[in-house]
């Protein structure tokens, strides 16, 4: 079992590249979301009522809160603590769940329910990040060309449509330029921020947490909603953990501490310094850092490039999250296309891609301004961050066996800002915060219903499946006729006799001479060693039991793995037998009418096992059965 003292080199994606190269690559994938937050965060954080100018103390207070949010949430929580909880180098909330010992007495445990809720909320975040990022970047042109305002929304929709349309080509071709573009972006915003700090160095007092505390002393409880804006500055924090498997801890930490963190701090302080010196800049402090004209257009161009990269990173992150959920049994099988021969983490999921596209464009058409869309942003991320903290506590106690006092200390520290962030964002529920919650709720119901349904189905099939060894012992009495050839029978039950095999023997009364009963087991590790993937057992009478082990980041190809197993059978013309269940959705089952009806709908629309496991469709025979769960 992995402990906190794991090393980066175990990440299967981080081999073969230098620390510097990995750090540059991480800039283009990991830090896109958090790196483009300066486009809108301070603008909505210090904007008073129309016609009013912000108080200097409020500007300093908000800047201080942002700086310390970046420090505590990203530097302390994620880089110093959470990223130590890796699953063989892989990170992310579902990888964290895989570290928690499974409860054999429950279909789905409380911790699993919390983690699924956190993962579901990330889908809500996934529809907002591309919309708000691209929209806020293009709004900068309005400062130089006010007439451009009418074109912002249509152009944003066009950019988003193009972004989602190219996903099927993968990120390999353009991924090489992501890092260098983001280096230019961070140096640009850091340089602009440093220039304005130099012109008004009094803003540097905001580095003291005293100004953040003073903000609440001045405003009392009425000032709490500001935390719902401050959290926008750390919305990419979860990405640092989720993308750890691609780069390793050290490159991510190096990129953050050497470039991202200092330039973000300078950018926020520079915007604050500018507003303190010129209150009219409050309308759009980020783009006001450059003079109107060519400089604004140049900044819009690089901002648009950075937001596209940020959106690209989040979209591919949602693809990876979906793939993990499928492998761990929390989501129906979907189409997964690997877009790179060399980087297994680069995948494309068309069903998720176009669903995100429609929802993102719908948000832009509904809210039309990034400042209004910001009200819908943050509640999903803050909820996921709090759930990550609780799950990390569970790992420290149940997996790493920390004493209670040692595990409670970081939990108390994390929740001291996670809970206020979530509470502040909850106040934005009716202003748009309900959107990611609604999306998350739908995904949560789907994921839980699918997991429970698959578990009950497995229990039902296991109860009606005698041990395979007994079936082999009675084979002559059950089925006297054996026909030439090889049959591969897929079974979800690792020990019992597949219903498909029972049906053939009892109803058709004919079986192939060679029978391979195959069970694919997804382990709670990201990758399984090649020499440990396939285990075989010769049961005699031409029957073999085969176990295929797969990590939750992998995509097993059954024909290929069977060919590598070295069995004395001819697989070139093998027949693959699969079960096809039809769910009745009646009142007699354990799930209830609604839950089973939803499960039946998901099962009908799930990708077939044939394509999922790489089985040639012309060699497949499906046998159906009706079940009331």
């Amino acid at each position: 079992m992995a402990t906190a003292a794991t090393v980066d080199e175990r990440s299967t994606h981080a081999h073969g590249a230098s620390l510097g190269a990995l750090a540059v690559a991480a800039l283009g994938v990991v830090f896109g979301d958090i790196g483009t937050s300066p486009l809108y965060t301070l603008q909505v954080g210090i904007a008073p009522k129309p016609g009013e100018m912000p108080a200097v103390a409020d500007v300093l207070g908000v800047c201080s809160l942002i700086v310390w949010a970046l420090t505590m949430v990203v530097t302390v929580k994620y880089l110093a603590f959470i990223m130590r909880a890796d699953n063989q180098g892989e990170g992310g909330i579902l990888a964290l769940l895989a570290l928690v010992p499974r409860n054999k007495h429950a279909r789905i445990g409380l911790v699993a329910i919390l983690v699924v809720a956190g993962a579901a909320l990330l889908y809500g975040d996934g529809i907002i990040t591309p919309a708000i990022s691209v929209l806020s970047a293009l709004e900068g042109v309005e400062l130089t060309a006010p007439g451009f305002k009418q074109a912002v929304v249509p152009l944003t929709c066009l950019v988003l449509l193009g972004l989602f349309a190219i996903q099927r080509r993968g990120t390999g071709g353009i991924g090489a330029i992501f890092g260098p573009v983001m280096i230019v972006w961070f140096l640009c915003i850091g340089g602009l921020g440093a220039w304005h700090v130099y012109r008004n160095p009094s803003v540097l007092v905001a580095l003291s947490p005293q100004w953040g505390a003073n903000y609440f002393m001045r405003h009392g409880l009425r000032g709490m909603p500001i935390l719902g804006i401050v959290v926008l500055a750390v919305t990419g924090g979860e990405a640092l953990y989720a993308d750890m498997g691609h780069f390793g801890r050290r490159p991510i930490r190096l990129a953050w501490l050497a470039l991202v963190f200092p330039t973000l701090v300078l950018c926020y302080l520079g915007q604050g310094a500018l507003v303190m010196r010129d209150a009219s800049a409050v309308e759009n402090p980020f783009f006001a850092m450059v003079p109107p004209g060519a400089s604004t257009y140049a900044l819009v161009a690089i901002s648009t490039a950075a937001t596209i990269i940020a959106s690209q990173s989040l979209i591919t992150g949602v693809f990876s999250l979906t793939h993990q959920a499928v492998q761990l049994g929390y989501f129906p099988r979907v189409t997964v296309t690997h877009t790179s021969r060399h980087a297994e983490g680069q995948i494309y999921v068309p069903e998720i891609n176009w669903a995100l596209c429609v929802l993102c464009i719908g948000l832009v058409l509904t809210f039309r301004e990034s400042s209004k869309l910001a009200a819908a942003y943050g509640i999903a991320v803050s909820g996921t961050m709090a759930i990550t903290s609780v799950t990390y506590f569970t790992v420290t106690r149940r997996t790493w066996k920390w004493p209670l006092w040692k595990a409670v200390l970081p939990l108390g520290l994390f929740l001291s800002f996670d809970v206020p962030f979530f509470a502040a964002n909850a106040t934005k529920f009716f202003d748009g915060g309900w959107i990611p919650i609604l999306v998350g709720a739908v995904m949560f119901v789907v994921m839980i219903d699918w997991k429970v349904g698959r578990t009950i189905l497995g229990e039902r099939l296991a109860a009606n499946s005698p041990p395979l060894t007994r079936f082999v012992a009675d084979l002559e009495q059950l089925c006297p006729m054996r026909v030439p050839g090889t049959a591969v029978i897929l079974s979800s039950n690792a020990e019992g006799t597949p219903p498909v095999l029972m049906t053939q023997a009892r109803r058709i009364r004919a079986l192939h001479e060679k029978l391979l009963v195959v069970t694919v087991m997804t382990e709670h590790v990201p990758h399984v060693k090649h020499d440990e993937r396939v285990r075989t057992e010769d049961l005699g009478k031409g029957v073999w039991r085969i176990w295929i082990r797969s990590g939750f980041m992998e995509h097993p190809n059954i024909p290929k793995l069977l060919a590598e197993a070295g069995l004395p059978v001819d697989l070139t013309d093998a027949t693959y037998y699969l079960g096809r269940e039809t769910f009745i959705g009646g009142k007699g089952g354990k799930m209830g009418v609604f839950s089973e009806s939803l499960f039946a709908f998901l099962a009908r629309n799930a990708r077939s096992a044939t394509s999922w496991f790489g089985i040639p469709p012309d060699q497949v025979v499906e046998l159906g059965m009706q079940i009331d769960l």
Side-chain angles (χ1 to χ4, degrees):
M1 178 61 67
T3 67
T6 52
V7 294
D8 288 325
E9 286 71 16
R10 288 190 314 176
S11 170
T12 59
H13 304 282
H15 287 304
S18 66
L19 177 62
L22 287 170
V24 171
L27 288 172
V29 176
V30 178
F31 298 105
D33 187 5
I34 199 169
T36 53
S37 295
L39 282 164
Y40 47 82
T41 300
L42 199 68
Q43 174 187 352
V44 295
I46 61 176
K49 296 179 181 179
E52 295 183 10
M53 296 300 173
V56 171
D58 286 348
V59 174
L60 292 174
V62 174
C63 287
S64 178
L65 289 171
I66 290 174
V67 169
W68 282 96
L70 291 169
T71 302
M72 297 305 298
V73 174
V74 181
T75 309
V76 175
K77 176 181 175 179
Y78 281 97
L79 267 68
F81 285 93
I82 300 296
M83 289 180 67
R84 300 171 67 195
D86 68 299
N87 192 329
Q88 293 191 3
E90 296 290 343
I93 193 167
L94 288 180
L96 188 63
L97 172 62
L99 285 176
V100 179
R102 282 168 282 184
N103 187 349
K104 298 181 180 180
H105 303 290
R107 293 191 177 116
I108 179 168
L110 177 60
V111 174
I113 291 175
L114 282 175
V115 170
V116 170
L121 287 173
L122 290 178
Y123 285 95
D125 181 34
I127 68 171
I128 298 179
T129 296
I132 192 173
S133 298
V134 177
L135 186 60
S136 60
L138 293 175
E139 285 175 344
V141 181
E142 296 178 23
L143 296 180
T144 301
F148 184 76
K149 184 173 183 179
Q150 302 300 321
V152 169
V153 170
L155 189 57
T156 298
C157 294
L158 188 62
V159 171
L160 289 173
L161 184 61
L163 175 64
F164 284 102
I166 65 172
Q167 292 303 310
R168 61 187 179 87
R169 299 182 180 274
T171 59
I174 56 177
I177 65 171
F178 279 9
V181 169
M182 292 308 293
I183 289 178
V184 173
W185 166 255
F186 284 116
L187 291 177
C188 177
I189 65 174
L192 289 174
W195 167 248
H196 288 284
V197 169
Y198 171 76
R199 297 186 67 187
N200 187 7
S202 62
V203 75
L204 290 174
V205 299
L207 293 174
S208 169
Q210 177 184 351
W211 284 94
N214 286 344
Y215 184 94
F216 295 109
M217 293 178 64
R218 296 177 67 245
H219 295 279
L221 291 178
R222 292 178 301 174
M224 286 299 294
I226 192 61
L227 293 178
I229 305 300
V230 172
V231 77
L232 300 180
V234 295
T235 51
E238 193 73 24
L240 275 71
Y241 182 42
D243 290 315
M244 180 172 61
H246 294 280
F247 306 102
R249 287 196 302 267
R250 291 181 61 203
I252 291 176
R253 287 172 174 165
L254 174 63
W256 172 257
L257 295 173
L259 180 64
V260 180
F261 183 44
T263 55
L264 285 178
V265 170
L266 284 172
C267 184
Y268 284 118
L269 293 181
Q271 291 183 53
L274 173 61
V275 172
M276 290 166 58
R277 191 169 52 85
D278 180 9
S280 63
V282 71
E283 182 179 349
N284 197 323
F286 179 81
F287 286 102
M289 288 196 295
V290 297
S295 298
T296 301
Y297 290 118
L299 189 57
V300 168
I302 190 174
S303 298
T304 303
T307 55
I308 289 175
I309 291 174
S311 302
Q312 172 71 54
S313 304
L314 192 136
I315 293 167
T316 54
V318 172
F319 291 164
S320 297
L321 178 68
T322 303
H323 187 222
Q324 292 184 33
V326 171
Q327 293 293 70
L328 291 173
Y330 287 97
F331 204 77
R333 288 189 295 264
V334 291
T335 305
V336 176
T337 303
H338 291 267
T339 59
S340 172
R341 295 181 179 180
H342 308 290
E344 60 184 301
Q346 292 185 16
I347 59 175
Y348 169 61
V349 184
E351 297 94 332
I352 299 298
N353 181 70
W354 292 112
L356 288 177
C357 178
V358 171
L359 293 172
C360 279
I361 292 176
L363 283 180
V364 172
L365 294 175
T366 301
F367 287 87
R368 307 188 72 82
E369 295 179 14
S370 62
S371 58
K372 294 180 179 178
L373 191 55
Y377 203 21
I379 190 168
V381 178
S382 57
T384 301
M385 290 194 300
I387 291 171
T388 297
S389 299
V390 174
T391 310
Y392 178 80
F393 168 78
T394 305
V395 170
T396 60
R397 288 284 292 154
R398 294 173 56 183
T399 306
W400 298 344
K401 308 300 182 183
W402 283 12
L404 181 61
W405 67 268
K406 184 179 179 181
V408 165
L409 288 178
L411 176 66
L413 175 64
F414 301 158
L415 293 183
S416 68
F417 43 79
D418 286 340
V419 172
F421 277 144
F422 182 76
N425 277 282
T427 63
K428 301 188 296 183
F429 181 84
F430 294 104
D431 295 324
W434 59 271
I435 293 175
I437 293 297
L438 177 62
V439 173
V442 171
M443 297 303 298
F444 176 79
V445 170
V446 167
M447 294 170 77
I448 293 296
D449 188 79
W450 183 256
K451 180 67 172 180
V452 172
R454 293 297 302 176
T455 302
I456 294 177
L457 175 61
E459 294 171 353
R460 175 71 62 83
L461 295 179
N464 297 319
S465 300
L468 185 59
T469 51
R470 185 194 307 170
F471 174 86
V472 174
D474 300 336
L475 193 55
E476 288 80 2
Q477 291 77 21
L478 288 170
C479 181
M481 182 178 294
R482 305 290 291 273
V483 297
T486 301
V488 179
I489 300 96
L490 269 62
S491 172
S492 59
N493 188 341
E495 301 297 335
T497 304
V500 169
L501 192 56
M502 295 287 292
T503 300
Q504 282 186 278
R506 292 178 175 176
R507 300 295 180 185
I508 304 176
R509 301 190 64 80
L511 293 173
H512 288 74
E513 288 179 339
K514 307 293 185 181
L515 299 174
L516 310 183
V517 181
V518 179
T519 298
V520 179
M521 301 180 296
T522 301
E523 304 292 342
H524 279 220
V525 294
H527 305 278
V528 174
K529 295 180 180 178
H530 188 270
D531 58 353
E532 298 177 356
R533 287 183 179 179
V534 181
R535 182 165 67 91
T536 65
E537 180 183 0
D538 187 352
L539 301 179
K541 301 181 182 180
V543 182
W544 283 266
R545 163 64 84 179
I546 302 171
W547 294 269
I548 294 178
R549 300 175 64 233
S550 173
F552 60 78
M553 294 290 289
E554 296 175 316
H555 204 158
N557 184 301
I558 288 182
K560 181 180 179 181
L561 291 171
L562 290 179
E564 296 173 353
L567 296 169
V569 298
D570 181 13
L571 293 169
T572 56
D573 196 31
T575 301
Y576 293 82
Y577 287 91
L578 285 72
R580 169 70 71 173
E581 299 88 5
T582 299
F583 304 101
I584 300 173
K587 297 181 179 180
K590 297 180 180 179
M591 292 190 71
V593 176
F594 173 78
S595 296
E596 187 176 350
S597 298
L598 174 59
F599 180 77
F601 172 79
L602 296 173
R604 286 194 303 270
N605 290 276
R607 189 184 179 193
S608 68
T610 302
S611 56
W612 182 261
F613 292 121
I615 302 172
D618 57 346
Q619 295 178 229
V620 172
V621 174
E622 291 188 348
L623 296 179
M625 59 188 300
Q626 291 188 338
I627 300 177
D628 186 359
L629 296 179

